[in-house]
Amino acid sequence: MKEGFQMYSKLEEDKKNIGGNLEYPFVIEGNQQTIKAGYLGTFRKGKFNQDYIQTLRTDNEYLPYVEGSSLEQTFAPELYADGKLYLRAAGRIKNYYDGTQDIHSTYLMGEFTFFKKLHLTTGVRMEAGHMKVVSSYNDKVKQEIVDTLLVNKKTDWLPAATAVYNITDKLNFRAAYSKTLARPDFRELAVTEYYNVDDRIDIINLGNLKQTYIDNMDVRLEWYPQPGEVISISGFYKKFKDPIELISLKRGNDGANYDMYSFNLEKASTLGLEFNLRKSFGFLAPKTFLDDLYLTANATILKGDITYDIEKLINMVVGSTGSTEKGDNERNRPLQGLVPYAINAGLSYSGKRFGAAVNYGTTGRKLVQAGMYEKYDEYEAPRHILDLQLSAKFLKERLEVKANASDLLNSVYRVYRNCSREIKGSGGNTEENTEPDKTYTDRTGIGMNYDEGDWIVNQYKRGTTYSFSVSYRF
C-alpha cells in the first residue's frame, strides 16, 4: 500500500465434456461377471491476464501513502478526480497465457467373481492428451520480450487392479494397485511470472514441466461386526516420478527477498498406515438409545520424502549447467502438504427426534513452502479443532432444525520457519555469523516443531463459526 502498487487479473475458462459407457453383465457357474468399456472427452480453453499499475502523487511523483492514513484515505476517488493522484504502468511485464487442452480417454475393465469369495476388478485406461499454451517472458540476457509456444502431447496407458477376498461374511481382505498421472496446468506449463497476493511473493514458472506419474499400492483388512459398524487397518505406498512442487529461492544476492519457482523434482514416495473405527454402543445395552450412539475414530501415520539437488535447480534459474555431482547440495525432506500424523475422533447420536455430534481433529506439522535450505522451510504448526452439532426434528420429521459450532477451541493458526529473524554480524549485532549463507541463524537443531524464538511468518486466529439452519421436507 505504501508504494501504491495495484494488481489486476482476469481468468477465463471454458470446459466441455462428452462421454459414454457400455456394460455387459453375464454369469459363469453362478458367479456374476461384468465387462465395461467407455470413452470420455474433455476439451478445455483457458485465458489469463495480469496487469500492474501504480498510484503516484503529482507533486514530484512522491508515493501516495501519508503516515497515519487508512487505505480509504490514501486512495480516495476525489484525489484522482482533483488531479492529486494519477495512475501509471508499474513497469512490470504484463503476464498472460492462452491455452487449450484436449484429452481423449478410453477404458476397458472387468468385474469378476470366483468361488463367490474372490472379487477382482481390473482394467486399463488410455489417455491421449494434447496441451498447448502461448505466453511471453522477459529475456534478461537479450533484453527483450520473447513470445513462447509450449506443447505437451502424450499418450499414456494406466492399469489398475483391485482384489477383495471374503474371509468370512464380516471379514474382508483387500489389495489394490493403480497407476495415475498429474498434468501440469496451463500456468505451470507456460513461461510466466505472477504475483501471489496471499503470500506476497512472485511465482515464476520456467515452462515445459513434465507430467507426474504415480504408482499407488494399498492393502486393507476390514471387519464389519454389525450393520453400520466397521473396524479396519490399512497400509499404503505411493511412488512419484517427476513430482511438481514450488520452491522459494533467494533473489540473486538479495538476502531478504525470494521468488517461488515450480520444478519437476527427482523422486518422491509416501508410506502410510491407517486405522479406522465406527462402533455402536448398543452392545452395552441392546435395544436402547445406545444403539444410535456411535464412536468414530481415524488415525493415520505418514512418512513421505522427496529428493532433489538444490544446486541443479538454482542452475536452471540462472541458465548455468554447473556441477552435476550429488553431495552436500542434495536435499531430502517431507513432501509439501504432507503431515506425519492425523487424528480424528467423534461421538454422535442420531435418534428419531434428536441428534448430536462432537468431533475433534488434529494433525502434525505440515510443510507449506520449501526453501533453499532446511531452515527456510515454512511449516504450519499443529492445531486442535473441536466441532459441535445439535439437531432436532418436528412435525412428523418434516421440519429439521440444526445448530453448528465450528472450531470451538479457536487455536492459533501459525506458519513458521526453523530459524531466527536475527542476522548475526548485521546492524547492532556484533556476533560472528557462521551460517553458510551468512544470513539468519539456523534453529533446526532444536527441533522441527515450533519453538519460542522461531521466525513466525504468519499468525492469527480464524475465530469460531456458529450457524443455524431450518429445513422443511414437503
Side-chain angles (χ1 to χ4, degrees):
M1 185 183 85
K2 292 184 176 181
E3 296 180 354
F5 285 106
Q6 298 174 55
M7 181 194 74
Y8 295 88
S9 62
K10 182 179 181 181
L11 174 63
E12 297 178 77
E13 286 218 5
D14 179 70
K15 186 177 181 181
K16 296 182 176 65
N17 296 320
I18 184 172
N21 299 282
L22 295 173
E23 181 176 326
Y24 177 68
F26 58 98
V27 177
I28 297 180
E29 296 185 358
N31 294 299
Q32 183 67 45
Q33 323 289 340
T34 305
I35 293 178
K36 299 179 181 179
Y39 165 81
L40 175 64
T42 302
F43 311 97
R44 179 173 163 228
K45 294 180 180 179
K47 290 184 178 182
F48 174 79
N49 283 283
Q50 189 176 64
D51 289 313
Y52 305 89
I53 59 176
Q54 185 180 20
T55 293
L56 295 173
R57 292 166 53 180
T58 54
D59 49 351
N60 299 321
E61 295 193 357
Y62 286 111
L63 298 178
Y65 179 72
V66 177
E67 192 67 35
S69 298
S70 67
L71 180 68
E72 292 76 12
Q73 293 170 331
T74 302
F75 299 101
E78 55 268 22
L79 297 178
Y80 294 92
D82 296 340
K84 296 179 181 179
L85 297 179
Y86 72 97
L87 296 171
R88 73 168 186 180
R92 301 188 61 155
I93 301 302
K94 176 180 178 180
N95 297 309
Y96 83 97
Y97 66 75
D98 190 343
T100 61
Q101 183 187 58
D102 297 337
I103 301 175
H104 299 276
S105 305
T106 61
Y107 75 90
L108 177 65
M109 64 173 289
E111 297 176 351
F112 308 108
T113 300
F114 305 94
F115 317 114
K116 299 187 183 298
K117 284 184 170 290
L118 178 62
H119 309 277
L120 177 65
T121 302
T122 185
V124 64
R125 179 182 179 90
M126 186 280 294
E127 291 195 5
H130 186 192
M131 192 171 182
K132 180 173 66 175
V133 60
V134 176
S135 63
S136 66
Y137 72 98
N138 182 20
D139 190 318
K140 297 178 182 179
V141 177
K142 297 181 180 178
Q143 296 292 311
E144 62 181 18
I145 305 301
V146 179
D147 292 325
T148 65
L149 169 63
L150 291 171
V151 177
N152 185 355
K153 188 175 183 180
K154 288 185 70 68
T155 299
D156 297 288
W157 295 87
L158 307 172
T162 300
V164 178
Y165 185 74
N166 306 129
I167 301 172
T168 68
D169 291 341
K170 296 182 178 181
L171 185 64
N172 297 332
F173 177 77
R174 176 186 182 276
Y177 166 82
S178 66
K179 185 173 184 178
T180 56
L181 63 83
R183 295 181 177 87
D185 207 353
F186 291 131
R187 179 175 281 173
E188 296 170 322
L189 186 64
V191 181
T192 58
E193 177 180 343
Y194 65 96
Y195 186 69
N196 185 316
V197 178
D198 293 333
D199 297 323
R200 292 176 292 179
I201 193 171
D202 285 318
I203 297 183
I204 301 171
N205 297 301
L206 303 177
N208 211 23
L209 291 177
K210 301 175 184 177
Q211 295 181 167
T212 301
Y213 293 94
I214 310 108
D215 289 296
N216 310 276
M217 289 159 273
D218 69 86
V219 292
R220 180 183 176 97
L221 185 64
E222 46 197 18
W223 178 37
Y224 301 93
Q226 299 293 333
E229 298 181 345
V230 62
I231 301 173
S232 68
I233 185 169
S234 58
F236 55 89
Y237 174 76
K238 295 178 181 287
K239 183 179 180 182
F240 301 82
K241 180 184 178 183
D242 297 323
I244 299 173
E245 283 198 355
L246 285 169
I247 297 177
S248 65
L249 299 178
K250 191 161 58 175
R251 188 182 297 168
N253 294 320
D254 186 347
N257 292 299
Y258 292 77
D259 293 321
M260 291 280 286
Y261 292 85
S262 54
F263 293 109
N264 279 118
L265 303 183
E266 295 171 19
K267 58 184 178 180
S269 62
T270 301
L271 185 65
L273 186 66
E274 181 180 19
F275 172 77
N276 192 52
L277 168 71
R278 188 174 191 269
K279 177 65 178 173
S280 167
F281 284 88
F283 68 95
L284 296 175
K287 297 183 180 181
T288 66
F289 76 96
L290 292 180
D291 288 339
D292 299 316
L293 182 64
Y294 281 86
L295 172 67
T296 59
N298 177 276
T300 305
I301 300 173
L302 293 165
K303 184 179 185 336
D305 298 303
I306 193 163
T307 304
Y308 58 93
D309 188 330
I310 188 65
E311 183 178 352
K312 181 180 177 181
L313 301 185
I314 295 174
N315 290 334
M316 289 174 63
V317 173
V318 300
S320 170
T321 55
S323 173
T324 59
E325 295 183 5
K326 294 183 178 180
D328 295 337
N329 300 310
E330 186 175 66
R331 285 214 59 188
N332 186 285
R333 57 162 175 79
L335 278 77
Q336 290 181 18
L338 189 77
V339 295
Y341 65 85
I343 298 172
N344 296 282
L347 193 64
S348 64
Y349 172 76
S350 182
K352 187 175 181 180
R353 293 288 302 275
F354 299 100
V358 58
N359 294 288
Y360 165 81
T362 188
T363 65
R365 63 178 182 272
K366 177 172 66 178
L367 180 66
V368 294
Q369 181 174 302
M372 292 177 63
Y373 307 109
E374 188 176 38
K375 65 179 179 179
Y376 293 137
D377 292 344
E378 295 183 6
Y379 285 92
E380 179 184 322
R383 296 181 71 244
H384 300 276
I385 300 174
L386 185 67
D387 299 332
L388 176 67
Q389 182 184 81
L390 301 174
S391 63
K393 295 179 181 180
F394 306 97
L395 303 178
K396 297 181 180 180
E397 301 183 25
R398 291 180 177 274
L399 179 67
E400 185 173 20
V401 179
K402 288 184 179 180
N404 295 278
S406 301
D407 202 357
L408 283 167
L409 301 178
N410 192 24
S411 58
V412 173
Y413 172 84
R414 179 184 293 123
V415 175
Y416 65 95
R417 293 177 178 174
N418 290 115
C419 64
S420 116
R421 294 197 66 167
E422 183 181 30
I423 301 179
K424 294 180 180 179
S426 175
N429 191 313
T430 58
E431 296 181 70
E432 181 184 1
N433 192 328
T434 58
E435 296 295 312
D437 58 350
K438 300 298 180 184
T439 56
Y440 305 100
T441 303
D442 191 337
R443 290 170 54 86
T444 57
I446 300 175
M448 299 305 293
N449 287 326
Y450 173 75
D451 295 289
E452 191 71 29
D454 285 345
W455 183 339
I456 298 176
V457 178
N458 197 359
Q459 178 174 285
Y460 60 89
K461 287 189 174 183
R462 295 179 172 178
T464 301
T465 302
Y466 300 94
S467 64
F468 181 81
S469 65
V470 179
S471 62
Y472 184 82
R473 181 171 54 87
F474 293 94

